[in-house]
Amino acid sequence: MNDILNKIKEYETIIIHRHVRPDPDAYGSQLGLKYILEEAFPEKNIYAVGQSEPSLEFIGELDNIEDEVYENALVIICDTANEPRIDDNRFKLGKELIKIDHHPPVDSYGDINYVNTEASSTSEIIYDLNQEWNLNQSEINTKASRVLYLGIVGDTGRFLFDNTTPHTMEVAASLMTKEFNRNEMLNQLSEREPKLLHFQGYILQNFNYDGNGFCYIKITKDILGKFDILPNEASLFVNAVADIKGVKAWVFAVDEGKEIRCRIRSKGIKINHIAAKYNGGGHPNASGASVYSWEEFDELARDIKSEI
């Protein structure tokens, strides 16, 4: 923790990245760190970059910067387990690189790596870092509290997932003391366009369950076209089948053109080593993988069934 703070103090320019296909924790940890550092070091140039996700733009705005800004800059990557998943390859243009994450450390790509797999989210880690650093007398401003709270809510499934610890609840309680409209934010987080609800109906009518704990959903390009939705919109429903009685693991597979993106979830069964076998990784019970044909997807499905 202190090594990270010393590097932050050393640099005039700090650029914060996160992973592709951002979720609330990616946004929350990235922007939360930015807002904390902006208040503590108003003389520094601090940016948060990456491809915007339309459904999450309400969380906060990202910065557009030129390549030259990376010269002699410190780059910090939040919530990203392995280097290929970092959004915006310009992170390589910085002088030094720091990784802050809560996923199992399969790729220690940073000059400094801080990974806490016991944390519910990287947003929780950013809160803990601020407490340790005591930059703002341990008080996180409302702007940062709002996005960190959203990041924690997102990665814990509104505190329903088993990564929710007593410490997670303590952090959330502290963030909730700030004056921001939690109900409005949570409504925005769950709002869906009408066409997406029709798509959800398709999922509930067309999932495949083997009766022995394994379920899968295949979303082909023609299905995306039928409902006029994008792959990232389809992925919002990865947990649509989580409530099936007896289900132990499931795969939500979406044909994104160049690859078939497979989001793997489980209840009490470790699946991240299987995801790693198929060009992915993640948490023991929530991982992602990529296959390049439906035949390869069938191999992935067989591996998961064997694990069950």
Side-chain angles (χ1 to χ4, degrees), residues 141-150 172 174-185:
N141 61 44
T142 299
K143 195 174 181 182
S145 294
R146 172 184 172 274
V147 298
L148 292 177
Y149 182 79
L150 276 174
S174 176
L175 295 172
M176 288 171 64
T177 62
K178 301 301 179 182
E179 293 185 5
F180 55 86
N181 193 326
R182 296 190 305 278
N183 289 336
E184 180 183 8
M185 290 193 315

Side-chain angles (χ1 to χ4, degrees), residues 19-258:
H19 61 74
V20 296
R21 306 182 188 91
D23 56 12
D25 186 36
Y27 262 95
S29 57
Q30 178 189 34
L31 292 173
L33 180 59
K34 175 188 176 181
Y35 299 154
I36 288 170
L37 297 182
E38 282 180 333
E39 182 177 25
F41 303 103
E43 74 283 0
K44 295 183 183 293
N45 302 308
I46 303 171
Y47 306 98
V49 302
Q51 184 68 37
S52 178
E53 164 54 47
S55 66
L56 298 177
E57 287 179 344
F58 72 92
I59 296 179
E61 294 184 5
L62 301 173
D63 300 301
N64 292 313
I65 60 175
E66 301 296 327
D67 293 358
E68 298 76 43
V69 180
Y70 283 85
E71 186 176 354
N72 295 317
L74 174 65
V75 176
I76 301 177
I77 313 294
C78 290
D79 197 40
T80 310
N82 51 332
E83 186 174 314
R85 294 202 70 224
I86 300 173
D87 193 357
D88 194 333
N89 281 328
R90 294 183 300 169
F91 73 89
K92 300 175 183 178
L93 302 177
K95 186 175 181 181
E96 288 190 273
L97 185 66
I98 293 174
K99 171 186 177 180
I100 302 175
D101 191 26
H102 72 126
H103 298 92
V106 295
D107 184 358
S108 298
Y109 53 78
D111 297 301
I112 297 175
N113 294 273
Y114 183 82
V115 178
N116 178 9
T117 58
E118 299 300 315
S120 69
S121 56
T122 306
S123 295
E124 182 178 314
I125 292 175
I126 298 302
Y127 175 93
D128 289 337
L129 285 171
N130 183 74
Q131 296 299 100
E132 177 70 21
W133 294 339
N134 200 25
L135 292 179
N136 305 308
Q137 292 75 50
S138 297
E139 285 292 327
I140 296 181
N141 61 44
T142 299
K143 195 174 181 182
S145 294
R146 172 184 172 274
V147 298
L148 292 177
Y149 182 79
L150 276 174
I152 293 171
V153 166
D155 255 26
T156 60
R158 302 193 181 204
F159 309 108
L160 294 176
F161 297 163
D162 60 8
N163 61 344
T164 305
T165 67
H167 179 65
T168 303
M169 302 303 288
E170 291 169 1
V171 172
S174 176
L175 295 172
M176 288 171 64
T177 62
K178 301 301 179 182
E179 293 185 5
F180 55 86
N181 193 326
R182 296 190 305 278
N183 289 336
E184 180 183 8
M185 290 193 315
L186 294 177
N187 286 338
Q188 288 178 290
L189 204 58
S190 60
E191 282 179 347
R192 301 286 184 265
E193 295 287 343
K195 64 180 180 180
L196 293 180
L197 296 183
H198 290 301
F199 174 69
Q200 183 180 26
Y202 171 84
I203 295 170
L204 296 176
Q205 290 181 325
N206 292 276
F207 64 81
N208 293 273
Y209 181 55
D210 69 356
N212 295 310
F214 179 68
C215 180
Y216 70 86
I217 304 98
K218 288 183 178 180
I219 305 300
T220 58
K221 286 187 285 187
D222 61 315
I223 295 300
L224 293 175
K226 176 181 178 180
F227 290 96
D228 188 27
I229 62 173
L230 300 172
N232 64 309
E233 292 177 315
S235 69
L236 296 172
F237 298 97
V238 61
N239 289 317
V241 298
D243 293 332
I244 295 175
K245 186 175 182 178
V247 72
K248 296 178 181 178
W250 62 98
V251 184
F252 192 93
V254 181
D255 189 344
E256 298 189 358
K258 294 182 179 179

Side-chain angles (χ1 to χ4, degrees), residues 259-262 264 272-281 288-292 295-304:
E259 63 181 349
I260 299 171
R261 184 67 179 168
C262 302
I264 312 170
N272 54 338
H273 63 290
I274 298 175
K277 180 180 176 181
Y278 293 90
N279 313 294
S290 294
V291 297
Y292 299 93
E295 290 75 21
E296 189 180 8
F297 171 83
D298 291 338
E299 295 177 16
L300 168 64
R302 283 195 292 269
D303 284 347
I304 296 173

